[in-house]
Amino acid sequence: MSNNAYLVNCEKKTACSENVYSSDIKYKLLATGANKVPVPWFFCFQEQDLVDVTSELESSSGEKEVFTYKAPVLEVEKAIENLKNSKELMIAFCQDEVLGTQYWERAVADFKSLTYPYIFLDPLEVFYLNDPEEEAKEFLKCFSRDENAFKSIKILTFYNENVLPYEVAELYGNSELDDFARTCNSASMDMGLDLDSGDASSKVEQESEQVKPEEKAQNKKSWWKFW
């Protein structure tokens, strides 16, 4: 089972995924990042969009812990505008003008008008791939919208800066990509939206088994790792 990040369209301005998944708040899961937070997601938000989130977690031994972190939430129109203004950031991060432009164009083209007025990023599961407190600190550094954020973004998206991703056409047109590092980088650069079909999983997943976030909430997150 992968630890996923989620991009969520919601009727309420909140970044507390636990409350959304376990209540009657209307939402739509837009995209899933398997074992990563995809690069374009960061560029939908700014530092001022980060809000405090508190989540109650339960380990496999039944011990409860409260984990507090920050996550971004924003009006959809502003998120789309931020992404549209991020072409140069995508190019600089990718270190290739052609590929950076391709992934930026794909992200902007897919990011259409949504059902609900707000969008938030839920990174919690990805924090637990490593030390969650340290990952949460790195996450805060990802929203400065300049190259100072790139080091932290690479940590959260597991991006290999020594390898270029595949071209977008090859990523979406070739089901037998044979370079694992390039495939992983391609998944990191991909926005992962598929609003027409309702499939909100990333184009390239680390694992095939997917569990809905609300199901994980109901399972009391017994799969968390604690340090």
Side-chain angles (χ1 to χ4, degrees):
M1 181 187 297
S2 58
N3 280 24
N4 299 327
Y6 303 101
L7 197 63
V8 183
N9 184 213
C10 184
E11 68 174 349
K12 181 179 179 181
K13 191 172 186 179
T14 179
C16 185
S17 56
E18 187 173 298
N19 290 344
V20 172
Y21 302 153
S22 61
S23 71
D24 59 357
I25 296 174
K26 295 179 180 179
Y27 74 95
K28 182 176 181 180
L29 182 61
L30 301 177
T32 301
N35 296 321
K36 68 175 66 66
V37 181
V39 175
W41 296 12
F42 292 108
F43 299 145
C44 294
F45 304 96
Q46 301 184 40
E47 289 177 325
Q48 61 262 33
D49 302 320
L50 293 164
V51 298
D52 291 327
V53 179
T54 299
S55 183
E56 184 178 278
L57 310 175
E58 185 174 317
S59 69
S60 57
S61 63
E63 296 180 354
K64 291 185 178 180
E65 293 192 17
V66 174
F67 184 61
T68 300
Y69 61 99
K70 289 183 182 290
V73 58
L74 186 63
E75 291 82 359
V76 168
E77 293 80 5
K78 293 181 180 178
I80 293 175
E81 189 64 24
N82 285 338
L83 186 61
K84 287 181 178 179
N85 292 331
S86 298
K87 180 180 179 179
E88 297 306 317
L89 288 171
M90 290 283 285
I91 292 172
F93 183 90
C94 184
Q95 300 182 63
D96 186 281
E97 184 172 2
V98 172
L99 294 174
T101 299
Q102 287 181 5
Y103 281 96
W104 172 79
E105 289 177 341
R106 174 80 190 201
V108 170
D110 287 349
F111 206 170
K112 305 171 184 177
S113 298
L114 305 179
T115 304
Y116 304 114
Y118 302 103
I119 186 169
F120 72 87
L121 195 170
D122 173 12
L124 184 59
E125 293 178 26
V126 174
F127 289 168
Y128 279 84
L129 289 169
N130 293 299
D131 184 326
E133 293 186 359
E134 292 302 316
E135 297 296 276
K137 291 177 183 177
E138 289 295 337
F139 188 72
L140 295 178
K141 303 174 186 177
C142 296
F143 298 93
S144 60
R145 296 187 61 80
D146 56 32
E147 295 191 18
N148 294 323
F150 290 178
K151 180 180 178 180
S152 297
I153 291 176
K154 289 172 185 175
I155 292 173
L156 272 298
T157 198
F158 295 89
Y159 192 86
N160 184 345
E161 63 182 5
N162 299 313
V163 179
L164 289 175
Y166 286 104
E167 292 192 5
V168 170
E170 191 169 6
L171 173 65
Y172 278 84
N174 185 352
S175 61
E176 298 182 358
L177 302 175
D178 58 3
D179 189 313
F180 181 75
R182 294 186 69 191
T183 300
C184 289
N185 276 4
S186 298
S188 295
M189 289 293 294
D190 184 30
M191 186 76 175
L193 299 180
D194 192 355
L195 304 181
D196 293 331
S197 70
D199 177 9
S201 60
S202 181
K203 178 67 176 70
V204 180
E205 298 291 0
Q206 299 286 335
E207 298 180 22
S208 60
E209 181 182 359
Q210 294 292 310
V211 179
K212 293 181 180 180
E214 61 268 30
E215 292 175 354
K216 288 187 174 181
Q218 292 169 359
N219 289 337
K220 290 291 186 180
K221 302 181 176 64
S222 59
W223 34 267
W224 289 126
K225 311 180 186 91
F226 287 95
W227 284 261

